[in-house]
């Protein structure tokens, strides 16, 4: 049993390291048995195990080959028991992602994007769900690069989502945009959250002082929607899916990138999360909530140093769907 596991682990490590590539053919079973000083049946069992995990491809009368997407599959095999801890922002679709991962994702806090990145920096979480709009118009990368500097910052793309004003059915106050919020009670997220930063920027652009906003602070997008549904406020900024859940009206304002910021050494722990994000079934379930674009879900980006010309991170180069950086 020990030898069988050693063979699986050795082959998986070779694939992750790039010694073996998708399409490479392995030596015959007898040759491998001599190489590992074991029996042909032990090697055959190890290959079947790796084939079940999507690492190898087996065919009758042919030698085993490294499967397409083997790098990610090998990482998942090596870290089968890992649990990714997530801090940061709130999003209704995160519950679907957590359910799909069946215990391999644990949300530790939902206190906002900035607090989430701080938790990653301090080692209290593996990653932070973030949606922070930089003054250059770039989402997330400048903040992750700055707050996780020196720790190999990466982004895992969760999805794009639609933010807008949530109002009561029939829009009784005839609110059409940010400019109409000045004399209204508005539910806002707490300072430091990406949604609050977006709201403050939109208010400033409309010529209003964000500090003049009247209304309660909400801890989640669903809570924003609840304050509108109960008549506590006239409007609130939140995601479309929260409005849909409570049959409220939605006035679209912006699409934003919703990502996970993490450090380099946490990528291995994130392999199950990345794989789940790339499955059509989960993407379809998230899209069905309304206001989500999952076309790039699971893309991984290593953040580079800022471009000296504009001070922003260089263009994102996402890993291919079958490989990990």
């Amino acid at each position: 049993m020990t030898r069988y596991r050693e063979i699986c682990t050795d082959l998986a490590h070779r694939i992750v390291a790039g010694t073996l590539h998708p399409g490479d053919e392995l030596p015959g079973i007898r040759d491998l048995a001599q190489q590992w000083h074991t029996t042909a049946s032990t090697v055959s069992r190890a290959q079947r195990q790796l084939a079940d995990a999507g690492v190898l491809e087996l065919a009758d009368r042919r030698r085993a080959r490294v499967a397409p997407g083997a790098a990610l599959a090998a990482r998942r095999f090596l870290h089968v028991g890992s649990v990714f801890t997530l801090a940061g922002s709130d999003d209704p679709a995160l519950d679907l992602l957590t359910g799909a991962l069946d215990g391999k994702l644990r949300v530790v806090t939902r206190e906002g994007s900035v607090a989430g990145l701080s938790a990653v920096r301090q080692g209290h979480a593996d990653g932070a769900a973030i949606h922070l709009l930089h003054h250059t118009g770039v989402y997330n990368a400048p903040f992750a690069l700055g707050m996780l500097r020196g720790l190999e910052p990466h982004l895992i793309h969760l999805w794009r989502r639609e933010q807008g004003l949530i109002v009561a059915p029939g829009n009784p106050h005839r609110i059409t945009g940010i400019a109409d919020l000045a004399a209204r009670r508005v539910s806002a997220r707490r300072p430091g959250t990406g949604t609050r930063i977006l709201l403050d920027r939109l208010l400033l652009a409309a010529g209003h002082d964000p500090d003049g906003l009247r209304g309660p602070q909400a801890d989640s997008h669903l809570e924003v929607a609840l304050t509108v549904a109960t008549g506590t406020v006239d409007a609130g900024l939140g995601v479309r899916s929260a409005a849909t859940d409570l049959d409220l009206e939605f006035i679209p304002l912006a699409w934003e990138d919703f990502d996970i910021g993490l450090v380099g050494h946490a990528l291995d722990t994130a392999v199950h999360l990345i794989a789940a994000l790339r499955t059509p079934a989960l993407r379809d379930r998230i899209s069905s909530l309304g206001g989500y674009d999952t076309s790039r879900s699971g893309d991984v980006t290593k953040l580079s140093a800022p471009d000296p010309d504009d001070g922003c991170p260089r263009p994102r180069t996402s890993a291919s769907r079958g490989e990990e950086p």
Side-chain angles (χ1 to χ4, degrees), residues 186-200:
V186 180
S187 181
R189 299 294 306 282
R190 68 179 64 182
T193 62
T195 299
R196 180 58 177 270
I197 292 172
L198 175 62
L199 177 59
D200 289 352

Side-chain angles (χ1 to χ4, degrees), residues 80-200:
V80 64
S82 62
V83 176
F84 189 85
T85 55
L86 183 67
S89 187
D90 168 67
D91 189 284
L94 285 175
D95 291 335
L96 294 181
L97 180 59
T98 302
L101 284 165
D102 192 24
K104 290 181 170 57
L105 173 65
R106 183 164 58 91
V107 178
V108 292
T109 65
R110 298 193 185 192
E111 297 180 355
S113 298
V114 174
L117 286 173
S118 295
V120 173
R121 178 78 192 186
Q122 296 165 15
H124 300 321
D126 294 318
I130 58 176
H131 58 113
L132 294 167
L133 178 60
H134 194 253
H135 67 83
T136 58
V138 177
Y139 265 99
N140 301 327
F143 295 92
L145 186 61
M147 295 187 69
L148 304 179
R149 190 176 302 278
L151 298 174
E152 284 190 275
H154 287 68
L155 291 179
I156 299 171
H157 185 64
L158 289 170
W159 41 76
R160 293 181 71 240
R161 65 182 194 176
E162 194 176 20
Q163 288 259 40
L165 294 176
I166 300 173
V167 298
N171 194 4
H173 302 291
R174 300 188 182 279
I175 295 170
T176 59
I178 291 293
D180 299 326
L181 299 183
R184 299 295 174 188
R185 283 183 58 79
V186 180
S187 181
R189 299 294 306 282
R190 68 179 64 182
T193 62
T195 299
R196 180 58 177 270
I197 292 172
L198 175 62
L199 177 59
D200 289 352

